[in-house]
């Protein structure tokens, strides 16, 4: 029996993620490219620069703030 813990890869819309820049720090909850169109949640230690990873690291895009209502 295999006791290895694996993080399942899952599909997420490409428009919901952005690739980290080389000098950004990877945080838990970021995503690592698995297979084409598949991503795994990074659950390892935080603080590494994105350029130290072999695979591309992604982060969810921030949701745009609601537009302020104009007063007439």
């Amino acid at each position: 029996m295999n006791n290895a813990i694996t993080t399942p890869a899952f599909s997420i819309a490409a428009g919901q993620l952005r690739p980290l820049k080389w000098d950004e720090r990877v945080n838990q909850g970021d995503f690592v490219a698995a297979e084409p169109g598949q991503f795994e949640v990074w659950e390892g230690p935080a603080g590494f620069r994105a350029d130290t990873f072999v695979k591309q690291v992604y982060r969810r895009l921030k949701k745009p703030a609601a537009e302020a209502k104009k007063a007439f």
Side-chain angles (χ1 to χ4, degrees):
M1 183 184 254
N2 188 352
N3 291 333
I5 298 173
T6 59
T7 303
F10 59 93
S11 295
I12 189 166
Q16 295 178 346
L17 299 176
R18 67 168 182 86
L20 266 59
K21 296 178 184 173
W22 69 273
D23 60 345
E24 287 186 274
R25 301 291 176 180
V26 176
N27 297 318
Q28 290 182 348
D30 285 342
F31 297 88
V32 178
E35 297 178 20
Q38 300 285 311
F39 301 91
E40 295 177 351
V41 176
W42 176 252
E43 296 177 343
F48 293 99
R49 278 194 348 216
D51 69 341
T52 62
F53 284 73
V54 173
K55 296 181 180 181
Q56 179 67 52
V57 182
Y58 296 86
R59 184 167 290 154
R60 284 191 191 270
L61 291 171
K62 294 181 182 178
K63 294 183 180 179
E67 292 185 43
K69 295 182 180 179
K70 295 182 179 179
F72 287 84

Short mmCIF file of all heavy atoms in Angstrom, two decimals:
data_model
loop_
_atom_site.label_atom_id
_atom_site.label_comp_id
_atom_site.label_asym_id
_atom_site.label_seq_id
_atom_site.Cartn_x
_atom_site.Cartn_y
_atom_site.Cartn_z
N MET A 1 0.84 -1.18 0.00
CA MET A 1 0.00 0.00 0.00
C MET A 1 0.89 1.24 0.00
O MET A 1 1.86 1.32 0.74
CB MET A 1 -0.90 0.00 1.25
CG MET A 1 -1.87 1.16 1.27
SD MET A 1 -2.82 1.18 2.79
CE MET A 1 -4.36 0.62 2.16
N ASN A 2 0.55 2.22 -0.81
CA ASN A 2 1.33 3.44 -0.94
C ASN A 2 0.84 4.47 0.06
O ASN A 2 -0.32 4.87 0.03
CB ASN A 2 1.21 3.96 -2.37
CG ASN A 2 2.15 5.12 -2.62
OD1 ASN A 2 2.78 5.62 -1.70
ND2 ASN A 2 2.25 5.52 -3.86
N ASN A 3 1.69 4.91 0.97
CA ASN A 3 1.32 5.89 1.99
C ASN A 3 1.68 7.31 1.61
O ASN A 3 1.57 8.22 2.41
CB ASN A 3 1.99 5.55 3.33
CG ASN A 3 1.42 4.28 3.92
OD1 ASN A 3 0.28 3.93 3.67
ND2 ASN A 3 2.23 3.58 4.70
N ALA A 4 2.13 7.52 0.38
CA ALA A 4 2.53 8.86 -0.05
C ALA A 4 1.31 9.77 -0.15
O ALA A 4 0.26 9.37 -0.63
CB ALA A 4 3.24 8.79 -1.40
N ILE A 5 1.47 10.98 0.34
CA ILE A 5 0.41 11.97 0.24
C ILE A 5 0.64 12.77 -1.02
O ILE A 5 1.72 13.31 -1.23
CB ILE A 5 0.41 12.91 1.47
CG1 ILE A 5 0.14 12.11 2.74
CG2 ILE A 5 -0.63 14.01 1.30
CD1 ILE A 5 0.29 12.91 4.00
N THR A 6 -0.37 12.83 -1.86
CA THR A 6 -0.24 13.58 -3.10
C THR A 6 -1.31 14.65 -3.16
O THR A 6 -2.41 14.47 -2.66
CB THR A 6 -0.37 12.67 -4.33
OG1 THR A 6 -1.64 12.03 -4.29
CG2 THR A 6 0.74 11.63 -4.36
N THR A 7 -0.96 15.77 -3.77
CA THR A 7 -1.92 16.84 -3.98
C THR A 7 -2.52 16.63 -5.36
O THR A 7 -1.79 16.58 -6.34
CB THR A 7 -1.22 18.21 -3.93
OG1 THR A 7 -0.57 18.33 -2.67
CG2 THR A 7 -2.21 19.33 -4.09
N PRO A 8 -3.83 16.49 -5.44
CA PRO A 8 -4.42 16.25 -6.75
C PRO A 8 -4.29 17.49 -7.64
O PRO A 8 -4.42 18.61 -7.18
CB PRO A 8 -5.89 15.96 -6.44
CG PRO A 8 -6.13 16.58 -5.11
CD PRO A 8 -4.83 16.54 -4.38
N ALA A 9 -4.03 17.25 -8.90
CA ALA A 9 -3.99 18.33 -9.87
C ALA A 9 -5.42 18.63 -10.29
O ALA A 9 -6.26 17.74 -10.33
CB ALA A 9 -3.15 17.93 -11.08
N PHE A 10 -5.72 19.88 -10.57
CA PHE A 10 -7.07 20.23 -10.99
C PHE A 10 -7.01 21.33 -12.03
O PHE A 10 -6.01 22.02 -12.17
CB PHE A 10 -7.92 20.65 -9.80
CG PHE A 10 -7.38 21.82 -9.03
CD1 PHE A 10 -7.78 23.11 -9.33
CD2 PHE A 10 -6.45 21.63 -8.02
CE1 PHE A 10 -7.26 24.18 -8.64
CE2 PHE A 10 -5.95 22.70 -7.31
CZ PHE A 10 -6.35 23.98 -7.62
N SER A 11 -8.09 21.45 -12.76
CA SER A 11 -8.18 22.47 -13.80
C SER A 11 -8.67 23.77 -13.20
O SER A 11 -9.52 23.78 -12.31
CB SER A 11 -9.14 22.03 -14.90
OG SER A 11 -8.65 20.91 -15.56
N ILE A 12 -8.13 24.86 -13.68
CA ILE A 12 -8.57 26.19 -13.28
C ILE A 12 -8.45 27.05 -14.53
O ILE A 12 -7.55 26.85 -15.34
CB ILE A 12 -7.73 26.73 -12.10
CG1 ILE A 12 -8.34 27.99 -11.55
CG2 ILE A 12 -6.31 26.93 -12.48
CD1 ILE A 12 -7.77 28.40 -10.19
N ALA A 13 -9.36 27.96 -14.70
CA ALA A 13 -9.34 28.80 -15.90
C ALA A 13 -8.05 29.61 -15.94
O ALA A 13 -7.65 30.21 -14.95
CB ALA A 13 -10.55 29.72 -15.92
N ALA A 14 -7.40 29.60 -17.07
CA ALA A 14 -6.13 30.31 -17.22
C ALA A 14 -6.29 31.80 -16.93
O ALA A 14 -5.35 32.45 -16.48
CB ALA A 14 -5.57 30.11 -18.62
N GLY A 15 -7.46 32.34 -17.17
CA GLY A 15 -7.71 33.75 -16.91
C GLY A 15 -7.79 34.10 -15.44
O GLY A 15 -7.84 35.27 -15.08
N GLN A 16 -7.79 33.09 -14.57
CA GLN A 16 -7.87 33.32 -13.13
C GLN A 16 -6.50 33.35 -12.46
O GLN A 16 -6.40 33.63 -11.28
CB GLN A 16 -8.73 32.24 -12.46
CG GLN A 16 -10.17 32.26 -12.88
CD GLN A 16 -10.96 31.14 -12.23
OE1 GLN A 16 -10.39 30.21 -11.67
NE2 GLN A 16 -12.27 31.24 -12.31
N LEU A 17 -5.46 33.03 -13.21
CA LEU A 17 -4.12 32.96 -12.65
C LEU A 17 -3.17 33.86 -13.43
O LEU A 17 -3.37 34.12 -14.61
CB LEU A 17 -3.58 31.53 -12.70
CG LEU A 17 -4.35 30.48 -11.94
CD1 LEU A 17 -3.73 29.12 -12.19
CD2 LEU A 17 -4.37 30.78 -10.46
N ARG A 18 -2.11 34.29 -12.75
CA ARG A 18 -1.04 35.02 -13.42
C ARG A 18 0.28 34.38 -13.01
O ARG A 18 0.44 33.90 -11.88
CB ARG A 18 -1.04 36.49 -13.03
CG ARG A 18 -0.69 36.74 -11.57
CD ARG A 18 -0.43 38.20 -11.29
NE ARG A 18 -0.06 38.41 -9.90
CZ ARG A 18 1.16 38.30 -9.41
NH1 ARG A 18 2.17 37.98 -10.20
NH2 ARG A 18 1.40 38.51 -8.13
N PRO A 19 1.25 34.32 -13.91
CA PRO A 19 2.55 33.77 -13.54
C PRO A 19 3.29 34.72 -12.62
O PRO A 19 3.20 35.94 -12.77
CB PRO A 19 3.27 33.62 -14.88
CG PRO A 19 2.57 34.54 -15.81
CD PRO A 19 1.18 34.70 -15.32
N LEU A 20 3.99 34.18 -11.65
CA LEU A 20 4.79 35.00 -10.76
C LEU A 20 6.01 35.50 -11.50
O LEU A 20 6.57 34.81 -12.36
CB LEU A 20 5.25 34.20 -9.53
CG LEU A 20 4.36 34.31 -8.29
CD1 LEU A 20 2.97 33.84 -8.55
CD2 LEU A 20 4.98 33.59 -7.13
N LYS A 21 6.44 36.71 -11.18
CA LYS A 21 7.67 37.25 -11.73
C LYS A 21 8.83 36.55 -11.06
O LYS A 21 8.69 35.98 -9.97
CB LYS A 21 7.72 38.76 -11.50
CG LYS A 21 6.63 39.50 -12.24
CD LYS A 21 6.70 40.97 -11.93
CE LYS A 21 5.53 41.68 -12.59
NZ LYS A 21 5.44 43.08 -12.20
N TRP A 22 9.99 36.62 -11.66
CA TRP A 22 11.16 35.88 -11.18
C TRP A 22 11.52 36.23 -9.74
O TRP A 22 11.99 35.38 -8.99
CB TRP A 22 12.35 36.11 -12.09
CG TRP A 22 12.88 37.51 -12.03
CD1 TRP A 22 12.47 38.59 -12.77
CD2 TRP A 22 13.90 38.00 -11.15
NE1 TRP A 22 13.16 39.71 -12.41
CE2 TRP A 22 14.06 39.39 -11.41
CE3 TRP A 22 14.70 37.43 -10.17
CZ2 TRP A 22 14.97 40.18 -10.74
CZ3 TRP A 22 15.61 38.22 -9.50
CH2 TRP A 22 15.74 39.58 -9.78
N ASP A 23 11.28 37.49 -9.32
CA ASP A 23 11.72 37.91 -7.99
C ASP A 23 10.61 37.89 -6.94
O ASP A 23 10.84 38.29 -5.81
CB ASP A 23 12.34 39.30 -8.06
CG ASP A 23 11.37 40.35 -8.57
OD1 ASP A 23 10.32 40.00 -9.14
OD2 ASP A 23 11.68 41.54 -8.41
N GLU A 24 9.42 37.38 -7.29
CA GLU A 24 8.34 37.29 -6.31
C GLU A 24 8.54 36.06 -5.43
O GLU A 24 9.10 35.05 -5.86
CB GLU A 24 6.98 37.20 -7.00
CG GLU A 24 6.53 38.50 -7.61
CD GLU A 24 5.13 38.40 -8.16
OE1 GLU A 24 4.99 37.97 -9.32
OE2 GLU A 24 4.18 38.74 -7.42
N ARG A 25 8.09 36.16 -4.20
CA ARG A 25 8.21 35.05 -3.25
C ARG A 25 6.99 34.15 -3.36
O ARG A 25 5.86 34.62 -3.45
CB ARG A 25 8.31 35.57 -1.82
CG ARG A 25 9.49 36.49 -1.59
CD ARG A 25 10.78 35.74 -1.67
NE ARG A 25 11.90 36.67 -1.53
CZ ARG A 25 13.14 36.30 -1.56
NH1 ARG A 25 13.47 35.04 -1.71
NH2 ARG A 25 14.10 37.18 -1.44
N VAL A 26 7.22 32.85 -3.35
CA VAL A 26 6.15 31.87 -3.43
C VAL A 26 5.53 31.70 -2.05
O VAL A 26 6.24 31.62 -1.05
CB VAL A 26 6.70 30.52 -3.95
CG1 VAL A 26 5.61 29.46 -3.95
CG2 VAL A 26 7.29 30.70 -5.34
N ASN A 27 4.21 31.70 -2.00
CA ASN A 27 3.46 31.53 -0.75
C ASN A 27 2.64 30.26 -0.81
O ASN A 27 2.33 29.76 -1.89
CB ASN A 27 2.51 32.71 -0.52
CG ASN A 27 3.23 34.01 -0.37
OD1 ASN A 27 4.26 34.09 0.28
ND2 ASN A 27 2.71 35.05 -0.99
N GLN A 28 2.26 29.75 0.35
CA GLN A 28 1.32 28.64 0.37
C GLN A 28 0.03 29.12 -0.26
O GLN A 28 -0.39 30.25 -0.04
CB GLN A 28 1.09 28.16 1.80
CG GLN A 28 2.30 27.47 2.37
CD GLN A 28 2.05 26.94 3.76
OE1 GLN A 28 1.05 27.26 4.40
NE2 GLN A 28 2.97 26.15 4.27
N GLY A 29 -0.59 28.29 -1.06
CA GLY A 29 -1.80 28.66 -1.76
C GLY A 29 -1.54 29.11 -3.18
O GLY A 29 -2.48 29.29 -3.95
N ASP A 30 -0.27 29.31 -3.56
CA ASP A 30 0.05 29.57 -4.96
C ASP A 30 -0.08 28.25 -5.70
O ASP A 30 -0.27 27.20 -5.10
CB ASP A 30 1.47 30.13 -5.10
CG ASP A 30 1.57 31.58 -4.66
OD1 ASP A 30 0.53 32.26 -4.57
OD2 ASP A 30 2.70 32.03 -4.40
N PHE A 31 0.02 28.29 -7.01
CA PHE A 31 -0.16 27.11 -7.83
C PHE A 31 1.09 26.82 -8.63
O PHE A 31 1.75 27.73 -9.10
CB PHE A 31 -1.34 27.31 -8.79
CG PHE A 31 -2.64 27.51 -8.08
CD1 PHE A 31 -3.04 28.77 -7.69
CD2 PHE A 31 -3.46 26.43 -7.80
CE1 PHE A 31 -4.24 28.96 -7.03
CE2 PHE A 31 -4.66 26.61 -7.14
CZ PHE A 31 -5.05 27.88 -6.75
N VAL A 32 1.38 25.52 -8.80
CA VAL A 32 2.51 25.07 -9.60
C VAL A 32 1.95 24.32 -10.79
O VAL A 32 1.02 23.51 -10.65
CB VAL A 32 3.44 24.14 -8.77
CG1 VAL A 32 4.59 23.64 -9.61
CG2 VAL A 32 3.94 24.86 -7.54
N ALA A 33 2.48 24.61 -11.97
CA ALA A 33 2.03 23.92 -13.18
C ALA A 33 2.30 22.43 -13.05
O ALA A 33 3.38 22.01 -12.63
CB ALA A 33 2.74 24.49 -14.40
N ALA A 34 1.30 21.64 -13.39
CA ALA A 34 1.45 20.19 -13.38
C ALA A 34 1.50 19.74 -14.84
O ALA A 34 2.53 19.84 -15.48
CB ALA A 34 0.31 19.54 -12.62
N GLU A 35 0.40 19.28 -15.37
CA GLU A 35 0.28 18.94 -16.78
C GLU A 35 -0.34 20.13 -17.48
O GLU A 35 -0.87 21.02 -16.82
CB GLU A 35 -0.59 17.70 -16.93
CG GLU A 35 0.01 16.46 -16.27
CD GLU A 35 -0.90 15.26 -16.38
OE1 GLU A 35 -1.77 15.24 -17.26
OE2 GLU A 35 -0.73 14.34 -15.58
N PRO A 36 -0.32 20.17 -18.79
CA PRO A 36 -0.94 21.30 -19.49
C PRO A 36 -2.40 21.49 -19.05
O PRO A 36 -3.19 20.55 -19.09
CB PRO A 36 -0.85 20.90 -20.97
CG PRO A 36 0.32 19.97 -21.03
CD PRO A 36 0.30 19.23 -19.72
N GLY A 37 -2.70 22.69 -18.58
CA GLY A 37 -4.06 22.99 -18.12
C GLY A 37 -4.35 22.50 -16.72
O GLY A 37 -5.47 22.65 -16.23
N GLN A 38 -3.39 21.91 -16.04
CA GLN A 38 -3.57 21.38 -14.69
C GLN A 38 -2.62 22.09 -13.73
O GLN A 38 -1.50 22.43 -14.11
CB GLN A 38 -3.28 19.88 -14.65
CG GLN A 38 -4.17 19.05 -15.55
CD GLN A 38 -5.55 18.90 -14.96
OE1 GLN A 38 -5.72 18.57 -13.80
NE2 GLN A 38 -6.56 19.17 -15.77
N PHE A 39 -3.06 22.31 -12.51
CA PHE A 39 -2.26 23.00 -11.51
C PHE A 39 -2.37 22.29 -10.18
O PHE A 39 -3.39 21.68 -9.88
CB PHE A 39 -2.74 24.45 -11.35
CG PHE A 39 -2.66 25.24 -12.62
CD1 PHE A 39 -3.74 25.29 -13.49
CD2 PHE A 39 -1.50 25.90 -12.97
CE1 PHE A 39 -3.67 26.00 -14.67
CE2 PHE A 39 -1.41 26.61 -14.15
CZ PHE A 39 -2.50 26.66 -15.00
N GLU A 40 -1.32 22.36 -9.39
CA GLU A 40 -1.32 21.82 -8.04
C GLU A 40 -1.12 22.97 -7.06
O GLU A 40 -0.34 23.89 -7.32
CB GLU A 40 -0.18 20.82 -7.85
CG GLU A 40 -0.32 19.57 -8.71
CD GLU A 40 0.87 18.63 -8.55
OE1 GLU A 40 1.87 19.02 -7.92
OE2 GLU A 40 0.79 17.52 -9.08
N VAL A 41 -1.82 22.93 -5.95
CA VAL A 41 -1.67 23.96 -4.92
C VAL A 41 -0.33 23.75 -4.23
O VAL A 41 0.02 22.63 -3.86
CB VAL A 41 -2.81 23.89 -3.89
CG1 VAL A 41 -2.60 24.91 -2.78
CG2 VAL A 41 -4.15 24.12 -4.57
N TRP A 42 0.45 24.83 -4.09
CA TRP A 42 1.73 24.74 -3.39
C TRP A 42 1.46 24.74 -1.89
O TRP A 42 0.89 25.69 -1.35
CB TRP A 42 2.63 25.91 -3.77
CG TRP A 42 3.91 25.91 -3.00
CD1 TRP A 42 4.27 26.76 -2.01
CD2 TRP A 42 4.99 24.99 -3.16
NE1 TRP A 42 5.52 26.44 -1.54
CE2 TRP A 42 5.98 25.35 -2.22
CE3 TRP A 42 5.21 23.91 -3.98
CZ2 TRP A 42 7.18 24.66 -2.11
CZ3 TRP A 42 6.41 23.21 -3.85
CH2 TRP A 42 7.37 23.60 -2.93
N GLU A 43 1.83 23.67 -1.23
CA GLU A 43 1.63 23.54 0.21
C GLU A 43 2.95 23.43 0.95
O GLU A 43 2.97 23.16 2.14
CB GLU A 43 0.75 22.33 0.49
CG GLU A 43 -0.65 22.47 -0.08
CD GLU A 43 -1.50 21.24 0.13
OE1 GLU A 43 -0.93 20.16 0.43
OE2 GLU A 43 -2.72 21.33 -0.01
N GLY A 44 4.04 23.67 0.25
CA GLY A 44 5.35 23.57 0.86
C GLY A 44 5.72 24.85 1.58
O GLY A 44 4.89 25.74 1.79
N PRO A 45 6.97 24.98 1.96
CA PRO A 45 7.41 26.18 2.67
C PRO A 45 7.31 27.42 1.79
O PRO A 45 7.44 27.34 0.57
CB PRO A 45 8.86 25.88 3.04
CG PRO A 45 9.28 24.76 2.17
CD PRO A 45 8.05 24.02 1.76
N ALA A 46 7.05 28.55 2.40
CA ALA A 46 6.93 29.82 1.68
C ALA A 46 8.26 30.56 1.73
O ALA A 46 9.14 30.26 2.54
CB ALA A 46 5.82 30.66 2.31
N GLY A 47 8.40 31.56 0.86
CA GLY A 47 9.56 32.43 0.92
C GLY A 47 10.59 32.22 -0.17
O GLY A 47 11.50 33.01 -0.31
N PHE A 48 10.45 31.16 -0.96
CA PHE A 48 11.40 30.94 -2.05
C PHE A 48 11.07 31.87 -3.21
O PHE A 48 9.91 32.16 -3.48
CB PHE A 48 11.33 29.49 -2.55
CG PHE A 48 11.81 28.49 -1.54
CD1 PHE A 48 10.91 27.79 -0.77
CD2 PHE A 48 13.15 28.26 -1.37
CE1 PHE A 48 11.34 26.86 0.16
CE2 PHE A 48 13.61 27.33 -0.45
CZ PHE A 48 12.70 26.63 0.32
N ARG A 49 12.09 32.32 -3.92
CA ARG A 49 11.85 33.12 -5.12
C ARG A 49 11.30 32.21 -6.21
O ARG A 49 11.69 31.05 -6.34
CB ARG A 49 13.14 33.77 -5.61
CG ARG A 49 13.48 35.03 -4.88
CD ARG A 49 14.54 35.84 -5.56
NE ARG A 49 15.25 35.17 -6.64
CZ ARG A 49 16.54 35.34 -6.89
NH1 ARG A 49 17.26 36.15 -6.16
NH2 ARG A 49 17.10 34.70 -7.89
N ALA A 50 10.41 32.77 -7.02
CA ALA A 50 9.75 31.98 -8.07
C ALA A 50 10.75 31.43 -9.09
O ALA A 50 10.50 30.37 -9.67
CB ALA A 50 8.69 32.82 -8.76
N ASP A 51 11.86 32.11 -9.31
CA ASP A 51 12.81 31.63 -10.32
C ASP A 51 13.62 30.42 -9.85
O ASP A 51 14.37 29.85 -10.62
CB ASP A 51 13.73 32.74 -10.80
CG ASP A 51 14.71 33.23 -9.75
OD1 ASP A 51 14.48 32.99 -8.55
OD2 ASP A 51 15.71 33.86 -10.13
N THR A 52 13.46 30.00 -8.60
CA THR A 52 14.16 28.81 -8.13
C THR A 52 13.38 27.53 -8.42
O THR A 52 13.91 26.44 -8.22
CB THR A 52 14.46 28.89 -6.62
OG1 THR A 52 13.23 28.95 -5.90
CG2 THR A 52 15.32 30.09 -6.30
N PHE A 53 12.15 27.65 -8.91
CA PHE A 53 11.33 26.50 -9.22
C PHE A 53 11.58 26.07 -10.66
O PHE A 53 11.78 26.90 -11.54
CB PHE A 53 9.84 26.83 -9.05
CG PHE A 53 9.40 26.87 -7.61
CD1 PHE A 53 9.78 27.92 -6.79
CD2 PHE A 53 8.62 25.86 -7.08
CE1 PHE A 53 9.38 27.97 -5.47
CE2 PHE A 53 8.22 25.91 -5.76
CZ PHE A 53 8.61 26.95 -4.96
N VAL A 54 11.54 24.78 -10.89
CA VAL A 54 11.71 24.26 -12.24
C VAL A 54 10.45 24.54 -13.05
O VAL A 54 10.52 24.93 -14.21
CB VAL A 54 11.99 22.74 -12.20
CG1 VAL A 54 12.00 22.16 -13.60
CG2 VAL A 54 13.30 22.47 -11.49
N LYS A 55 9.28 24.38 -12.43
CA LYS A 55 8.01 24.62 -13.11
C LYS A 55 7.53 26.03 -12.80
O LYS A 55 7.88 26.61 -11.77
CB LYS A 55 6.96 23.61 -12.64
CG LYS A 55 7.31 22.19 -13.00
CD LYS A 55 6.26 21.24 -12.54
CE LYS A 55 6.62 19.81 -12.90
NZ LYS A 55 5.57 18.89 -12.46
N GLN A 56 6.72 26.58 -13.70
CA GLN A 56 6.16 27.92 -13.51
C GLN A 56 5.22 27.93 -12.30
O GLN A 56 4.46 27.00 -12.09
CB GLN A 56 5.38 28.35 -14.77
CG GLN A 56 4.75 29.71 -14.67
CD GLN A 56 5.79 30.83 -14.61
OE1 GLN A 56 6.67 30.90 -15.43
NE2 GLN A 56 5.66 31.68 -13.64
N VAL A 57 5.29 29.00 -11.52
CA VAL A 57 4.43 29.18 -10.36
C VAL A 57 3.42 30.28 -10.68
O VAL A 57 3.77 31.29 -11.30
CB VAL A 57 5.25 29.56 -9.11
CG1 VAL A 57 4.35 29.69 -7.90
CG2 VAL A 57 6.34 28.53 -8.84
N TYR A 58 2.18 30.07 -10.26
CA TYR A 58 1.09 31.01 -10.55
C TYR A 58 0.41 31.45 -9.27
O TYR A 58 0.46 30.76 -8.26
CB TYR A 58 0.04 30.34 -11.45
CG TYR A 58 0.57 29.96 -12.81
CD1 TYR A 58 1.22 28.75 -13.01
CD2 TYR A 58 0.43 30.81 -13.89
CE1 TYR A 58 1.71 28.39 -14.26
CE2 TYR A 58 0.92 30.47 -15.14
CZ TYR A 58 1.56 29.26 -15.31
OH TYR A 58 2.05 28.93 -16.54
N ARG A 59 -0.27 32.59 -9.35
CA ARG A 59 -1.05 33.12 -8.23
C ARG A 59 -2.39 33.57 -8.78
O ARG A 59 -2.49 34.04 -9.91
CB ARG A 59 -0.32 34.30 -7.60
CG ARG A 59 -1.01 34.85 -6.37
CD ARG A 59 -0.10 35.80 -5.62
NE ARG A 59 0.98 35.03 -5.01
CZ ARG A 59 2.19 35.52 -4.72
NH1 ARG A 59 2.48 36.77 -4.97
NH2 ARG A 59 3.11 34.76 -4.16
N ARG A 60 -3.43 33.43 -7.97
CA ARG A 60 -4.76 33.90 -8.38
C ARG A 60 -4.72 35.40 -8.62
O ARG A 60 -4.05 36.13 -7.89
CB ARG A 60 -5.80 33.61 -7.31
CG ARG A 60 -6.22 32.17 -7.24
CD ARG A 60 -7.44 32.03 -6.35
NE ARG A 60 -7.72 30.65 -6.06
CZ ARG A 60 -8.52 29.89 -6.81
NH1 ARG A 60 -9.11 30.40 -7.85
NH2 ARG A 60 -8.71 28.63 -6.50
N LEU A 61 -5.44 35.83 -9.62
CA LEU A 61 -5.58 37.26 -9.88
C LEU A 61 -6.45 37.87 -8.79
O LEU A 61 -7.39 37.25 -8.30
CB LEU A 61 -6.23 37.50 -11.24
CG LEU A 61 -5.40 37.14 -12.46
CD1 LEU A 61 -6.26 37.22 -13.72
CD2 LEU A 61 -4.22 38.07 -12.58
N LYS A 62 -6.12 39.09 -8.43
CA LYS A 62 -6.96 39.81 -7.47
C LYS A 62 -8.24 40.21 -8.17
O LYS A 62 -8.23 40.61 -9.32
CB LYS A 62 -6.24 41.05 -6.94
CG LYS A 62 -5.03 40.71 -6.11
CD LYS A 62 -4.39 41.97 -5.59
CE LYS A 62 -3.15 41.62 -4.79
NZ LYS A 62 -2.46 42.81 -4.31
N LYS A 63 -9.34 40.12 -7.45
CA LYS A 63 -10.61 40.54 -8.02
C LYS A 63 -10.62 42.06 -8.06
O LYS A 63 -10.20 42.71 -7.10
CB LYS A 63 -11.77 40.02 -7.18
CG LYS A 63 -11.89 38.51 -7.23
CD LYS A 63 -13.08 38.04 -6.46
CE LYS A 63 -13.17 36.52 -6.52
NZ LYS A 63 -14.30 36.01 -5.78
N PRO A 64 -11.10 42.64 -9.15
CA PRO A 64 -11.14 44.10 -9.22
C PRO A 64 -12.09 44.67 -8.18
O PRO A 64 -13.14 44.09 -7.90
CB PRO A 64 -11.63 44.39 -10.64
CG PRO A 64 -12.29 43.13 -11.09
CD PRO A 64 -11.63 42.01 -10.34
N ALA A 65 -11.70 45.78 -7.60
CA ALA A 65 -12.55 46.43 -6.59
C ALA A 65 -13.81 46.94 -7.28
O ALA A 65 -13.80 47.34 -8.43
CB ALA A 65 -11.79 47.58 -5.95
N ALA A 66 -14.90 46.91 -6.54
CA ALA A 66 -16.15 47.40 -7.09
C ALA A 66 -16.01 48.87 -7.42
O ALA A 66 -15.40 49.64 -6.67
CB ALA A 66 -17.29 47.18 -6.10
N GLU A 67 -16.53 49.26 -8.56
CA GLU A 67 -16.42 50.65 -8.96
C GLU A 67 -17.23 51.53 -7.99
O GLU A 67 -18.31 51.16 -7.58
CB GLU A 67 -16.93 50.84 -10.38
CG GLU A 67 -16.05 50.17 -11.41
CD GLU A 67 -16.52 50.48 -12.81
OE1 GLU A 67 -16.86 51.66 -13.07
OE2 GLU A 67 -16.54 49.56 -13.64
N ALA A 68 -16.63 52.65 -7.67
CA ALA A 68 -17.32 53.57 -6.78
C ALA A 68 -18.52 54.17 -7.51
O ALA A 68 -18.45 54.50 -8.68
CB ALA A 68 -16.38 54.68 -6.34
N LYS A 69 -19.62 54.25 -6.80
CA LYS A 69 -20.82 54.84 -7.39
C LYS A 69 -20.65 56.34 -7.48
O LYS A 69 -20.21 56.98 -6.54
CB LYS A 69 -22.05 54.49 -6.59
CG LYS A 69 -22.37 53.01 -6.60
CD LYS A 69 -23.63 52.72 -5.82
CE LYS A 69 -23.94 51.24 -5.84
NZ LYS A 69 -25.14 50.91 -5.09
N LYS A 70 -21.03 56.88 -8.63
CA LYS A 70 -20.92 58.31 -8.82
C LYS A 70 -22.17 58.99 -8.26
O LYS A 70 -23.28 58.55 -8.54
CB LYS A 70 -20.76 58.66 -10.29
CG LYS A 70 -19.47 58.16 -10.88
CD LYS A 70 -19.35 58.56 -12.32
CE LYS A 70 -18.03 58.07 -12.90
NZ LYS A 70 -17.89 58.43 -14.30
N ALA A 71 -21.98 60.02 -7.49
CA ALA A 71 -23.10 60.78 -6.96
C ALA A 71 -23.47 61.88 -7.95
O ALA A 71 -22.60 62.56 -8.46
CB ALA A 71 -22.75 61.38 -5.60
N PHE A 72 -24.72 62.02 -8.23
CA PHE A 72 -25.17 63.06 -9.16
C PHE A 72 -25.80 64.19 -8.41
O PHE A 72 -26.39 64.15 -7.45
CB PHE A 72 -26.18 62.50 -10.17
CG PHE A 72 -25.51 61.62 -11.18
CD1 PHE A 72 -25.26 60.28 -10.92
CD2 PHE A 72 -25.12 62.13 -12.40
CE1 PHE A 72 -24.65 59.46 -11.85
CE2 PHE A 72 -24.52 61.30 -13.35
CZ PHE A 72 -24.29 59.98 -13.08
#
